[in-house]
Amino acid sequence: MVGNPNCGKTTLFNALTGLRQKVGNYPGVTVEKKIGETFSQHGRPIKIIDLPGAYSLAARSPDEAVLRDVLLGRREDTPQPDRIICVVDASNLERNLYLVHQILDLGRPLILVLNMMDVATEAGMKLDPKKLEEDLGVPVIPCEAVHGRGLVELKLAMSRVELPLARHRWDVPAPIASAVAELQAALTDADARPPLVARAEALLLLTDMDSVHIEGSKPLSARTTDVLAGWRRRWQENGTDWSGTLIRSRYEAINRLCADVLRRTREQGPSVSDRIDAVLVHSVWGWLFFALVMAVLFFSIFTLAEFPMNWIDAHMAALGGWVNGAMAPGDLRDLLTDGVIGGVGGIVVFLPQIMILFFFVGLLESTGYMARAAFLMDRPMSKVGLHGKSFIPLLGSYACAIPGIMATRTIENAKDRLVTILVAPLMSCSARLPVYLLMIATLLPSTTVPALTKVGIMFLMYALGTTGAFGFAWLFKRTLFKSAPPLMIMELPPYQPPRLKEILRQMIERAWLFLKNAGTIILAISIVLWFLTTFPKLPDPAATADAQIAHSFAGRAGHVIEPLIKPLGFDWRIGIGLVTSFAAREVFVSSMGVIFGVESSGDDTTPVRDALRHATWPGGAALFTPLVCFTLMVYYVFAMQCMSTVAVVKRETNSWRWPLFQIAYMTGTAWLVCFVIYQAGRALGY
């Protein structure tokens, strides 16, 4: 299944297979191939591969290269598909047919799906699917994937034993024909390509000789490379625009085709999306609306989530009290109350705020506003050497850096892509949210503090991370990755009503993933940390909790690293949290619950934030002062505290060089910035 970005391809894939792949109204959602299964009308299983969206088979980014290589049979891990479903946006037929035109060159059985027929009708377009079917010689299925229309007809076409091959009426321009023939012969003989596939690949290589090669794809033979290089030298000497000639020739054929099958029923004026964009991408009103969206997001996190958070907190406290009352004192009871309930409960309480964050992200993606945010950010990002297309991965990293880093595959320039990968973890992801919220609650414990004050502090943390990402992008583009300023060409998809069912499903899936992490990774770390803070035990049973923790394995390790972090205002107990949270940032909250829960005794179920407020240095001075709380939040803004992100960066860059560099520069920056903030704050009397 192939198609342009924003054509509804993944929605159709989900409808056919019953899977729940992520969909979004902006380019770059499907950046890997997704595989699902459906059944023909005769009960025969059909495996469907949802390939990344692309405007052309001439690959200029890694996600487009996946599409090209699967269709050409270049992938070592994926056989060439038996049939191809081309999904096109019926309201943008001419542009979408360019990709179809290239795929027709392959001579493979093909089904053409005219999706978004309702959108085309609303735009005053009348299409003739039967005429298009006659002209191309392939099945053409009108469809509205969002509403489930056309699915039965599509399944019937997929169930046919044989599909007719296309009647592809297009002649290669005469000046290029000899080059195509020579390249086709080389690909057929040296690269073992079937003749039609070899011809299609020759046309692609000539359209864009600098197309991307990705890991897992079969490289071209030396003979083919030499033939290609020879034609390039010849045309450069003659000043021949071979790429432009091929592209113009294709569009001439497409225009003739559209003249037969498409007519407009009324004069086309500004669309609804155009009229909305007059405000939302305006140089002034657009920025005000963007700021309003962010303010509503942060305000909702602190106000709407308050009741469910208090409910979870109360039930966790009640559960801890019940365990204390039902079990005899001992290590097992301490493990359950301080290790399990204290560790996992301290992080689960933030679930409502995580869900609100993902609801808003899903809302922006579904409506099409995400692409407008990228458009708005193009100008400021050009100042740091990137373009607006880099902003979509960065904006996605507010939810999680892992899909954000994977979304950089849509960036054509390799240097721009690497810079975006290196700075993406600086965007404050949802895993940092529990840390920020815990520190804000410790910093401002009173319920009388206005929500806007808390919103302001939260906004400051997000703004600090964004500024840091832009600052390092500017630095990298002028030092390690010098290149010409990029230009952005990006489609602004039409606005769509939010698909609340889809948004809620994605939000629940994220919530379940969060709870699964709490029940596995965080639970395991909490239990291990409880053991490390409990053993070895002091021989004196009357020893204080502080003395026991200091004597434990964790305490000894914490004291080793304390000299390194003490200039930041952190003691060895905070140091333990910093080390354990490298597994996942939110583990810091559960670590604090375990460490400071060990200090409590009896039926004390004091929330973590209150335990932190009462924590002291050996001399009696408060540990979590407002300055320390603020410094700790800043540390988590900049530090690379996520093992999963490190693994993804290694996979995306195919090297340990860049993830190790990322850990070094981010953690070094975090230490230096926090050192300046804490020491300056102390000098000013805070």
Side-chain angles (χ1 to χ4, degrees):
M1 188 171 288
V2 302
N4 284 194
N6 307 313
C7 70
K9 174 174 56 64
T10 302
T11 301
L12 184 61
F13 173 81
N14 287 342
L16 287 172
T17 62
L19 295 180
R20 296 178 175 179
Q21 298 296 344
K22 181 180 178 183
V23 297
N25 189 19
Y26 68 101
V29 174
T30 307
V31 293
E32 291 185 310
K33 60 183 177 68
K34 309 290 185 183
I35 300 177
E37 193 172 81
T38 188
F39 292 89
S40 71
Q41 299 292 66
H42 315 296
R44 184 170 58 89
I46 301 174
K47 185 181 290 184
I48 305 177
I49 305 175
D50 178 24
L51 293 173
Y55 296 105
S56 167
L57 288 184
R60 301 193 179 192
S61 62
D63 63 317
E64 292 176 348
V66 171
L67 167 67
R68 175 202 64 198
D69 291 349
V70 169
L71 293 185
L72 292 176
R74 284 190 190 176
R75 294 293 298 177
E76 297 172 349
D77 57 355
T78 308
Q80 192 174 27
D82 301 311
R83 300 178 175 187
I84 302 169
I85 300 173
C86 276
V87 184
V88 304
D89 176 1
S91 64
N92 283 297
L93 186 64
E94 182 179 1
R95 189 206 62 215
N96 280 239
L97 282 179
Y98 185 85
L99 176 64
V100 176
H101 203 263
Q102 291 179 314
I103 293 174
L104 288 170
D105 287 338
L106 297 171
R108 310 289 297 174
L110 182 143
I111 301 170
L112 185 63
V113 177
L114 294 178
N115 195 25
M116 302 187 187
M117 289 292 288
D118 52 337
V119 178
T121 302
E122 290 173 7
M125 302 177 185
K126 185 172 179 60
L127 280 79
D128 188 344
K130 290 296 182 185
K131 177 62 176 171
L132 186 59
E133 188 170 294
E134 290 174 9
D135 287 351
L136 294 178
V138 300
V140 176
I141 312 295
C143 181
E144 296 173 21
V146 173
H147 305 113
R149 294 169 190 155
L151 296 181
V152 174
E153 293 81 357
L154 175 57
K155 276 203 170 185
L156 283 171
M158 294 166 61
S159 302
R160 292 169 64 175
V161 176
E162 290 186 9
L163 287 175
L165 296 181
R167 294 188 294 273
H168 197 21
R169 301 170 184 169
W170 180 64
D171 295 323
V172 176
I176 315 244
S178 54
V180 174
E182 188 176 349
L183 265 176
Q184 182 180 1
L187 286 163
T188 303
D189 297 339
D191 296 87
R193 303 278 198 270
L196 278 177
V197 174
R199 180 178 179 274
E201 189 166 1
L203 287 166
L204 289 178
L205 290 170
L206 293 173
T207 301
D208 186 4
M209 293 186 177
D210 297 317
S211 58
V212 170
H213 176 77
I214 56 174
E215 185 182 5
S217 294
K218 301 170 186 174
L220 295 173
S221 66
R223 178 185 167 188
T224 302
T225 305
D226 290 342
V227 171
L228 189 61
W231 279 103
R232 167 180 278 188
R233 285 193 301 270
R234 193 178 314 176
W235 281 333
Q236 285 177 342
E237 291 170 0
N238 298 337
T240 303
D241 180 13
W242 68 91
S243 178
T245 301
L246 281 171
I247 293 171
R248 282 192 299 272
S249 178
R250 282 196 189 276
Y251 270 114
E252 287 169 3
I254 292 168
N255 289 336
R256 289 192 296 270
L257 186 63
C258 289
D260 287 343
V261 301
L262 172 64
R263 65 183 180 86
R264 300 191 181 276
T265 58
R266 64 174 183 269
E267 193 69 27
Q268 191 173 21
S271 65
V272 174
S273 291
D274 292 336
R275 291 195 291 271
I276 296 174
D277 279 341
V279 177
L280 296 193
V281 298
H282 189 271
S283 57
V284 176
W285 306 121
W287 283 105
L288 290 177
F289 183 81
F290 182 75
L292 178 64
V293 168
M294 294 295 106
V296 170
L297 167 61
F298 294 134
F299 190 77
S300 300
I301 285 174
F302 282 103
T303 54
L304 298 181
E306 185 174 356
F307 175 78
M309 285 184 69
N310 290 338
W311 184 87
I312 294 173
D313 207 4
H315 280 73
M316 284 294 174
L319 179 61
W322 179 81
V323 171
N324 271 331
M327 295 182 67
D331 287 340
L332 180 58
R333 190 182 78 169
D334 291 344
L335 169 62
L336 293 176
T337 56
D338 297 328
V340 177
I341 298 174
V344 176
I347 195 71
V348 170
V349 73
F350 298 105
L351 177 63
Q353 291 167 315
I354 299 291
M355 293 178 71
I356 288 174
L357 174 65
F358 281 108
F359 177 81
F360 270 89
V361 171
L363 200 63
L364 297 180
E365 293 176 352
S366 177
T367 57
Y369 183 73
M370 189 73 83
R372 274 71 186 181
F375 177 84
L376 281 173
M377 292 302 299
D378 181 51
R379 178 167 291 180
M381 292 199 72
S382 67
K383 305 295 184 185
V384 302
L386 297 176
H387 56 47
K389 193 174 284 191
S390 293
F391 185 66
I392 289 180
L394 295 181
L395 194 61
S397 296
Y398 279 132
C400 180
I402 292 172
I405 288 169
M406 292 172 63
T408 61
R409 298 177 188 179
T410 61
I411 300 172
E412 295 88 351
N413 185 286
K415 290 184 177 180
D416 291 346
R417 178 172 180 258
L418 188 51
V419 170
T420 308
I421 288 173
L422 289 177
V423 302
L426 287 167
M427 311 298 278
S428 288
C429 64
S430 59
R432 290 178 171 100
L433 195 57
V435 180
Y436 294 162
L437 294 169
L438 176 62
M439 289 299 101
I440 291 173
T442 307
L443 178 64
L444 303 170
S446 175
T447 56
T448 61
V449 176
L452 283 177
T453 303
K454 299 177 180 179
V455 169
I457 297 174
M458 180 73 77
F459 185 82
L460 178 61
M461 293 300 110
Y462 276 77
L464 190 60
T466 305
T467 303
F470 286 6
F472 276 107
W474 177 88
L475 179 64
F476 293 152
K477 285 289 289 184
R478 281 156 180 77
T479 53
L480 299 176
F481 307 102
K482 289 183 179 179
S483 61
L487 297 175
M488 182 179 76
I489 300 175
M490 180 181 178
E491 177 188 11
L492 294 182
Y495 289 101
Q496 295 181 6
R499 302 173 194 170
L500 290 179
K501 182 179 178 181
E502 183 70 28
I503 294 170
L504 291 174
R505 182 187 62 75
Q506 291 181 21
M507 182 183 73
I508 291 170
E509 285 181 354
R510 285 288 187 174
W512 172 243
L513 182 62
F514 179 79
L515 289 175
K516 190 163 69 171
N517 285 338
T520 54
I521 298 172
I522 295 173
L523 174 62
I525 292 175
S526 297
I527 292 173
V528 170
L529 187 59
W530 173 85
F531 174 83
L532 295 177
T533 56
T534 304
F535 298 97
K537 289 192 173 184
L538 284 169
D540 182 6
T544 63
D546 274 341
Q548 170 56 45
I549 297 175
H551 180 71
S552 68
F553 295 121
R556 295 172 187 178
H559 280 95
V560 170
I561 65 172
E562 187 178 61
L564 184 63
I565 59 175
K566 194 169 184 180
L568 314 183
F570 307 158
D571 76 339
W572 57 273
R573 291 169 292 183
I574 296 177
I576 295 171
L578 298 181
V579 172
T580 56
S581 65
F582 185 72
R585 293 180 179 95
E586 61 267 40
V587 170
F588 178 81
V589 176
S590 59
S591 298
M592 294 297 98
V594 172
I595 292 169
F596 290 96
V598 172
E599 292 182 337
S600 62
S601 60
D603 294 331
D604 185 8
T605 54
T606 304
V608 177
R609 59 181 178 269
D610 293 338
L612 299 188
R613 288 179 56 224
H614 296 120
T616 61
W617 288 93
L623 174 59
F624 286 91
T625 63
L627 178 59
V628 169
C629 291
F630 184 81
T631 305
L632 194 54
M633 283 191 284
V634 173
Y635 183 88
Y636 275 92
V637 167
F638 289 104
M640 182 64 162
Q641 296 288 109
C642 184
M643 191 183 301
S644 300
T645 302
V646 172
V648 169
V649 172
K650 192 272 175 187
R651 188 185 73 176
E652 294 297 308
T653 61
N654 198 30
S655 168
W656 277 110
R657 174 187 178 188
W658 297 115
L660 292 176
F661 171 75
Q662 202 170 38
I663 293 172
Y665 99 80
M666 289 182 64
T667 306
T669 300
W671 191 94
L672 185 61
V673 172
C674 290
F675 176 81
V676 171
I677 290 174
Y678 181 73
Q679 296 300 331
R682 288 287 303 275
L684 294 172
Y686 291 101

